[in-house]
Amino acid sequence: MLPDRQGMSLKRVALLGATGSIGRQAIEIISARDDLDLCGLMSGSRPLDALGAANGTAHTQIGGSAVSLLEACEPDIVLNAIVGFAGVEATLWALEQGVTLALANKESLVAAGELAVAAHRRGGGLLLPVDSEHSALFQCLEGRDPQTVEALVLTASGGPFRGRSRGDLAHVTVAEALAHPTWSMGQKISVDSATLANKGLELIEAHWLFGIPYAQIEVVVHPGSIVHSLVRFRDGALLAHLGIPDMRVPISFALGYPDRPALAVEPLDLSGGLDLRFEAVDGETFPLLPLARAAGERGGTAPCAYNAANEVAVAAFLEGRAGFLAIADTVAAALDEVDCSPARDLDDLVAADAGARRAAERRVVLG
Ligand SMILES: NC(=O)c1ccc[n+]([C@@H]2O[C@H](COP(=O)([O-])OP(=O)(O)OC[C@H]3O[C@@H](n4cnc5c(N)ncnc54)[C@H](OP(=O)(O)O)[C@@H]3O)[C@@H](O)[C@H]2O)c1
């Protein structure tokens, strides 16, 4: 589906995960734009009455199947900002229907990559990444011949524990793990940033979004979070996307594509000197990144299992049932245990997700 270029036409946006960090920033953007109408709102458990009333939204839903809300509100754009595997159904629905999908919920593309690519091909709609790194890559790649791309380079801030050794991380607290140095985000993605599982999920997300083999996707630590990602071309040139770390920028880009509407954000002060340091990733201290690469390369439902086990382990860490280092140990143990044959459909995927969750829970209990 080609983008709607008819100037004044109103686009109907369904916002899933409306009460979250991305959801709240999206509402701020949509409210300030007269070409966007919030036709549907969804949360997992928090109330939506006030949000719905404030935005004149006819369709709201708390929990349950996102598909029933989406069918009722008939959106032109689905902004999927649900956290975790719970977002899979909405991603597959939007791609299959050819409805523009602004995707923050990276877990759905990680878990359902093959099914999502096939649904996208059938549906023919737009798939626009909201993750800042993938929005950056999308913009650097736009209009380029894929043959000219040598590698995608994902940047990682390194999280709150950058520079620490594995031994240093044995007793870190939840509060320390949530204290991200450059981004303010929901709890799950903040812990994922501390373990580098977030970069692992993003590696798999980039593979499916851009159809680039894992061997051509690099990850580099960039503590300043100013360079959101880069593309290395075969002639030696690198294109980078720079900006202050502010998720409203990629959210606005996806919701306004291809028009790049104005947005009031703090300008990047180039004259003050930029922190453009880059470092190698410490895969020994942060094994969830190499584990994600291995799961991606293994294929089938291995990325789904990686994601499911990580969700279980992060929840256990946040609830005080597991230590920080147990997160990676749990994911590794679950991946060793499960069968990763490919999913033929959503039912297969749900079964693979459930199996990996059970394996991860057993591991958490055993310690
Ligand atoms: N935050 C960021 O800066 C950022 C950046 C890049 C990508 N992302 C991605 O965006 C997604 C959302 O992140 P976030 O930080 O905004 O998370 P968050 O603050 O934890 O918000 C999660 C949202 O998902 C909703 N939700 C949870 N389970 C649900 C279910 N079963 N059905 C429907 N809604 C459900 C929550 O509803 P309740 O409030 O009712 O629980 C909440 O609205 C994640 O996939 C994350 O990786 C986030």
Side-chain angles (χ1 to χ4, degrees):
M1 187 176 74
L2 285 170
D4 180 2
R5 300 301 305 264
Q6 294 168 350
M8 293 309 290
S9 68
L10 199 63
K11 284 188 186 154
R12 297 164 58 78
V13 182
L15 174 56
L16 314 177
T19 46
S21 163
I22 294 288
R24 282 182 274 108
Q25 295 176 81
I27 288 173
E28 184 191 321
I29 288 163
I30 295 166
S31 310
R33 296 259 305 271
D34 52 15
D35 59 334
L36 298 177
D37 171 48
L38 210 42
C39 66
L41 288 169
M42 185 176 185
S43 71
S45 57
R46 280 187 271 181
L48 288 168
D49 291 350
L51 265 186
N55 292 282
T57 309
H59 299 274
T60 59
Q61 186 178 305
I62 302 170
S65 160
V67 169
S68 47
L69 174 86
L70 294 170
E71 284 177 345
C73 72
E74 300 182 40
D76 300 304
I77 303 174
V78 175
L79 172 46
N80 187 354
I82 293 175
V83 63
F85 185 81
V88 164
E89 209 189 357
T91 287
L92 292 179
W93 182 90
L95 293 173
E96 193 75 56
Q97 302 298 316
V99 172
T100 296
L101 175 62
L103 186 65
N105 174 254
K106 64 191 85 183
E107 295 93 339
S108 56
L109 209 53
V110 169
E114 261 167 318
L115 296 179
V117 166
H120 187 208
R121 205 171 288 134
R122 286 191 296 270
L126 281 172
L127 170 52
L128 300 164
V130 168
D131 235 335
S132 58
E133 295 79 356
H134 304 74
S135 180
L137 292 171
F138 179 92
Q139 292 173 61
C140 292
L141 286 167
E142 209 176 5
R144 320 273 166 202
D145 177 353
Q147 299 297 322
T148 64
V149 175
E150 195 171 273
L152 308 182
V153 186
L154 284 165
T155 52
S157 70
F161 304 136
R162 182 177 61 86
R164 308 262 194 110
S165 69
R166 192 171 157 80
D168 294 337
L169 300 181
H171 301 293
V172 295
T173 64
V174 169
E176 288 171 315
L178 292 178
H180 197 279
T182 45
W183 295 95
S184 163
M185 309 178 285
Q187 287 202 334
K188 194 258 177 184
I189 185 175
S190 296
V191 176
D192 285 349
S193 298
T195 60
L196 291 202
N198 184 48
K199 216 45 61 179
L201 295 171
E202 288 180 7
L203 171 75
I204 301 171
E205 181 187 13
H207 167 75
W208 292 116
L209 270 175
F210 304 115
I212 301 279
Y214 288 103
Q216 286 167 258
I217 310 178
E218 304 169 15
V219 178
V220 65
V221 172
H222 166 50
S225 297
I226 286 166
V227 177
H228 297 311
S229 277
L230 312 91
V231 178
R232 214 186 266 287
F233 289 91
R234 66 182 177 191
D235 61 355
L238 276 118
L239 292 192
H241 177 290
L242 279 72
I244 56 157
D246 184 334
M247 281 308 294
R248 291 175 306 155
V249 176
I251 297 170
S252 175
F253 178 81
L255 291 176
Y257 185 82
D259 293 334
R260 213 182 266 281
L263 184 70
V265 287
E266 192 191 317
L268 188 61
D269 179 12
L270 298 169
S271 61
L274 295 181
D275 177 1
L276 291 179
R277 272 177 303 152
F278 294 94
E279 323 170 340
V281 175
D282 176 357
E284 209 170 299
T285 304
F286 301 101
L288 280 162
L289 178 58
L291 274 171
R293 190 179 282 281
E297 281 166 349
R298 183 171 165 191
T301 47
C304 175
Y306 172 93
N307 175 67
N310 182 56
E311 284 191 34
V312 166
V314 170
F317 172 67
L318 287 170
E319 290 160 14
R321 292 188 290 123
F324 185 80
L325 293 179
I327 302 174
D329 294 346
T330 300
V331 175
L335 277 167
D336 278 348
E337 202 180 304
V338 294
D339 159 45
C340 292
S341 27
R344 288 156 301 180
D345 52 25
L346 183 56
D347 288 346
D348 278 358
L349 201 66
V350 169
D353 172 79
R357 279 171 201 272
R358 283 193 299 275
E361 279 295 356
R362 275 196 300 276
R363 171 71 199 202
V364 166
V365 171
L366 289 173

